[in-house]
Each structure stands twice: as structure tokens, then as C-alpha cells.
Amino acid sequence: MGSALDKDQGAGNDVPMPHDHRDHPHDRLPSDPALRVRALETVLTQKGLIDPAALDEIIDTYENRIGPRNGARVVARAWRDPDFCAALLDDATAVVSGMGYYGRQGEHMVAVQNTDETHNMVVCTLCSCYPWPLLGIPPTWYKSDAYRARAVREPRKVLADFGVTLPEGTAVRVWDSTAEVRYLVVPQRPEGTDGMSEEQLMALVTRDSMIGTGLAVSP
Amino acid sequence: MTRPHDMGGRFGDGPVIPEQEGEVFHADWHARALAVTLACGAFGKWNIDVSRHARECLAPTDYARFSYYEKWIAGLADLLADTGLVSPEELAGGPVTKSPDADRALKPDAVAGVLAAGGPADRASDIAPTFAPGDAVVTRRIASNIMVDGGHTRLPSYAAGAHGRIVRYHGTHILPDSSAHRLGDAAEPLYAVAFPASELWAHPEHPRDEVVLDLWQSYLKAAP
């Protein structure tokens, strides 16, 4: 993740290239993380570089307005409407943008569909890339060393940590998000859900089922 | 071998601990760390590749012991000092002077627009795609930035020198290996490339398992 205006290359050539610091500037902040953040916020506020009310607005956005219920609506609609599902699999960015789900960390979306043959699972081994407009801020486990290290090598053992066992014949396809493309898993629709409304189906679509570490809930 | 962030496939990390949906931040300072980072990013002094590389340049001991948002804050502090937005003395608690960039600080009513605008990474490029879905390719043998020694790259070491096949073309995207070092967008074709698990791991879990990575054209060669 990076700056909020990542589309630009940033400042001109007078800015030094990133490099290895012998003396890391961050070491000058307090070592306790809560105090460290407080100290940084205080300095930035005194310099006039941040407006604490803007920080409150950012936090409110990700606590209350953007989260996995967005993705659940996309999945529920895909389950109910084959044309919508086909369009989603063809060009997810256009389709979810049309539902108002676009923005930071969701600029290039791809949807991948689970079948009896293939179970999809998403990870970012190099950092923690995640489709924010559809799923919100990633859970702690998604950002953990254990998930980043293990998901690509032993996805079934990771699924076991979530209590999920796949049928013998199902292959796993793990998507390592190494670029700015963000992946949404469309889980399999549970049996016994014919005739359910979009809202009813949404309740069956868990966050983890859209990352591929879970399955949709049976009613 | 590159840097401590490149951990795909590593052994020894223990279980993954699931958590309930709904709790977004586990401490107030996590939320503040995220918000401060996003608000500072709005100055446009760095791009996403520069900020990723700043975190990757943390000392391996720090990278291993810092929690997620501690890495963000450390990377941010280093970027603020590098770009002159804040001086090292100010970070250390010394006297603080008003910034000449203060009038450009992110305002509450601009937040929604900034977050909704995002930062698309696709760019026009003169480089034509040389691969198509189904083509067999092999990745660079060494997962390193070829322009900058120790520089940023998005080819994980576990997928270096591996044989795979193109499964999707994403269009032309900014090349992080260049962008992270402020050497320009250098956009080029980007593909999703599928690798059989047996190509990456000595003991794959299942004969049909695959790992798919998004890789730039310059990371790839046609497989013989």
C-alpha cells in the first residue's frame, strides 16, 4: 500500500532515491508503537501537514463505509444472475465500478470463480495487497508472516487452520497479488439456496470465502 | 536472495490464526497509523512502489519484529525524512517549524474523493505484448532488480527461474522496478502466469495445484 495519490510518480528529481539507511530516521521516534504514532501525528499536525479531522474521516470510511459486505453483494448478484456473473468474470473492474465499488487498492479487479475442479485462494506474499473497495482493510491473519509464507506452498494446510477441507479431486489455484491487480474469489453457491433474495444470499457470503480461505455458509 | 519481505514458501512460521469479520482495527493506534500514512501520501511526494520499497528497506531484524502498522509507520518516517517533509531533528522531538506544504494538507472534505480516485497503474506503452494466453514462459533465474542493485522487484524468489504459462493479459502497467526508484513509469505488458506447484516446491500438496503470479514482460522469456 502506498500514498493516497499513487497515480503520480511523485516529486521531481531533487528527491533522493530510496536507499538503505545506516541511520534510520524512524529510529528517532519513541519505540512503543502507540507512542510512536502519536509522536508522528503530533509533529505532522504542528507542521500543518495533516488535519486530524481528515484522519478521522479516513478511519470512519474504512470502519463504517467500505468493507466485505460490498464484495458479498457482488457475489450474491453473480449467483443470482448468470449474465452479471459472465460480465464480472470478463471485466470485474467495469462491473464493480458500476456498483460504486472503485478506488484505492481496487483500481484493477479480477474475479475468479470456484468450481468442483478448482478452488481459488488469494495471498500477497511480498506485502499485503488486498481489494479494499470490495473487502475493506485486510484482517490481521492476511497480513501475517504465517499466511504470506505458507499460502503458496501448502494451501491445504492453511485451509485446515480455517477448518476447511477440500474434496480430494479439487485442485487449488493460489493467486499471489504481485502487481496492482486485485483478486476477488466468487465462492460456490451453497445447495438449498434457490429462490433466495440478494440480501438473503449476502448473509451466506463470508469475507474469508471471498479470499478463498473459507466457503460460503450453507443456510 | 533479496530482502526480508520476500517470504513466500518460507518454513517455520506456525499456524494462521483466523479472526471474526467486523473488527477492522485492533487498536486505536493501528487506525491512526493507517490514516496518517494515507494523509501524508496525498502530498504526492512518493508513489506506491517507493513506499513499498521503504518498508522493504527496513533492517531484517526490524522487519521481523515489527507488526504490520509498525512497518508502515517506520517506512513513513523514513519517507518523510527522505523527502524533506519532516526533518530527522523534528522526528527526534526537536523544535518544529511550519511546513511550506501546509496549505496542501488533506482536508476532511477531500478524503472521500482521494480514496475513491485511487491510483490506477495502467499506462500507455510502446512495448507490444509478445506473449498470449497459453504461451509457455520462464521467469528470470535471479529474482532481482536488474537496474538497481538491491532494488525493488515484484518477482518473488520462490518463482525465480520457474516454467509457467500465460493465463491472462492485464494490459500495460507501470514497472515497479523502475518506479520504486523514481526512474519513470516504464510501463510494459503485465500477465497472470500460472506455475504448477511441482515447479516451485519439492513436495507439492496435490498434482494439479498451481500458483498464479502477475508478472511483467521483462521478467519473462519464451520457454524453449
Side-chain angles (χ1 to χ4, degrees):
Chain A
M1 319 309 97
S3 70
L5 291 181
D6 289 327
K7 59 173 159 283
D8 298 319
Q9 274 300 305
N13 295 327
D14 54 328
V15 178
M17 284 187 15
H19 55 280
D20 291 315
H21 291 271
R22 277 198 204 95
D23 168 31
H24 285 276
H26 69 259
D27 286 336
R28 295 171 180 250
L29 290 163
S31 60
D32 175 80
L35 294 179
R36 184 175 270 218
V37 176
R38 173 92 47 90
L40 193 56
E41 185 177 339
T42 301
V43 170
L44 288 163
T45 304
Q46 288 170 349
K47 291 193 73 66
L49 290 171
I50 56 171
D51 178 342
L55 303 192
D56 294 340
E57 183 70 16
I58 292 170
I59 294 165
D60 183 57
T61 300
Y62 290 112
E63 275 193 324
N64 300 313
R65 283 175 249 161
I66 297 181
R69 294 303 90 205
N70 292 358
R73 185 174 296 284
V74 175
V75 170
R77 201 166 288 183
W79 283 349
R80 277 168 54 88
D81 180 346
D83 291 339
F84 177 90
C85 185
L88 180 71
L89 296 174
D90 180 57
D91 186 353
T93 310
V95 169
V96 303
S97 296
M99 296 170 71
Y101 307 145
Y102 180 82
R104 188 189 171 76
Q105 286 300 311
E107 297 89 349
H108 309 282
M109 288 296 315
V110 169
V112 292
Q113 187 174 32
N114 286 348
T115 64
D116 289 342
E117 288 73 38
T118 306
H119 178 88
N120 294 281
M121 202 167 136
V122 182
V123 64
C124 171
T125 63
L126 296 175
C127 41
S128 301
C129 298
Y130 191 74
W132 290 18
L134 292 177
L135 300 184
I137 300 295
T140 302
W141 60 259
Y142 186 86
K143 302 175 285 199
S144 70
D145 286 6
Y147 187 71
R148 290 169 54 188
R150 293 176 53 210
V152 282
R153 181 173 48 78
E154 48 181 20
R156 281 174 186 71
K157 289 199 181 74
V158 170
L159 286 170
D161 289 346
F162 288 83
V164 174
T165 308
L166 297 177
E168 188 79 10
T170 303
V172 177
R173 199 177 228 200
V174 182
W175 300 78
D176 189 354
S177 312
T178 43
E180 300 309 328
V181 180
R182 300 289 168 264
Y183 290 90
L184 176 77
V185 175
V186 179
Q188 287 190 284
R189 181 173 178 164
E191 300 288 330
T193 57
D194 290 355
M196 279 192 173
S197 69
E198 187 170 291
E199 297 292 331
Q200 287 171 319
L201 290 171
M202 279 176 65
L204 310 178
V205 185
T206 64
R207 175 197 62 206
D208 292 357
S209 75
M210 295 181 280
I211 306 170
T213 55
L215 306 176
V217 178
S218 289
Chain B
M1 194 54 202
T2 53
R3 290 182 183 272
H5 69 286
D6 186 5
M7 62 180 72
R10 187 174 74 183
F11 285 87
D13 281 285
V16 178
I17 313 293
E19 71 188 35
Q20 290 295 311
E21 189 173 319
E23 194 178 345
V24 178
F25 299 109
H26 296 282
D28 284 345
W29 71 266
H30 292 183
R32 301 310 282 182
L34 174 121
V36 168
T37 303
L38 267 54
C40 289
F43 288 100
K45 298 274 190 186
W46 52 81
N47 62 54
I48 193 162
D49 300 306
V50 170
S51 62
R52 280 201 187 105
H53 191 57
R55 287 171 208 147
E56 294 163 7
C57 284
L58 294 174
T61 46
D62 283 344
Y63 195 93
R65 76 187 165 91
F66 282 175
S67 65
Y68 180 72
Y69 287 115
E70 285 178 274
K71 294 188 192 84
W72 276 42
I73 284 301
L76 174 63
D78 292 343
L79 286 173
L80 289 169
D82 273 349
T83 56
L85 278 173
V86 179
S87 72
E89 293 71 28
E90 288 171 327
L91 289 176
V96 174
T97 57
K98 196 85 173 174
S99 170
D101 291 299
D103 57 340
R104 295 173 51 234
L106 184 65
K107 294 287 178 285
D109 58 2
V111 166
V114 166
L115 297 181
D122 54 330
R123 296 285 186 280
S125 172
D126 294 336
I127 303 175
T130 55
F131 303 116
D135 286 358
V137 293
V138 60
T139 57
R140 248 179 218 158
R141 193 175 66 79
I142 300 172
S144 289
N145 186 316
I146 58 168
M147 293 176 275
V148 177
D149 196 18
H152 180 71
T153 188
R154 296 294 283 181
L155 175 62
S157 45
Y158 77 83
H163 286 71
R165 69 178 201 289
I166 306 284
V167 292
R168 189 184 265 264
Y169 174 55
H170 293 302
T172 49
H173 282 229
I174 294 170
L175 179 67
D177 307 49
S178 173
S179 167
H181 303 284
R182 303 184 188 277
L183 299 172
D185 287 348
E188 58 173 72
L190 176 72
Y191 308 90
V193 186
F195 299 88
S198 58
E199 183 70 14
L200 308 174
W201 320 115
H203 301 278
E205 286 185 329
H206 188 282
R208 289 196 297 112
D209 281 0
E210 290 182 323
V211 180
V212 185
L213 295 88
D214 287 327
L215 300 173
W216 282 260
Q217 185 159 291
S218 59
Y219 296 2
L220 306 170
K221 282 186 179 154

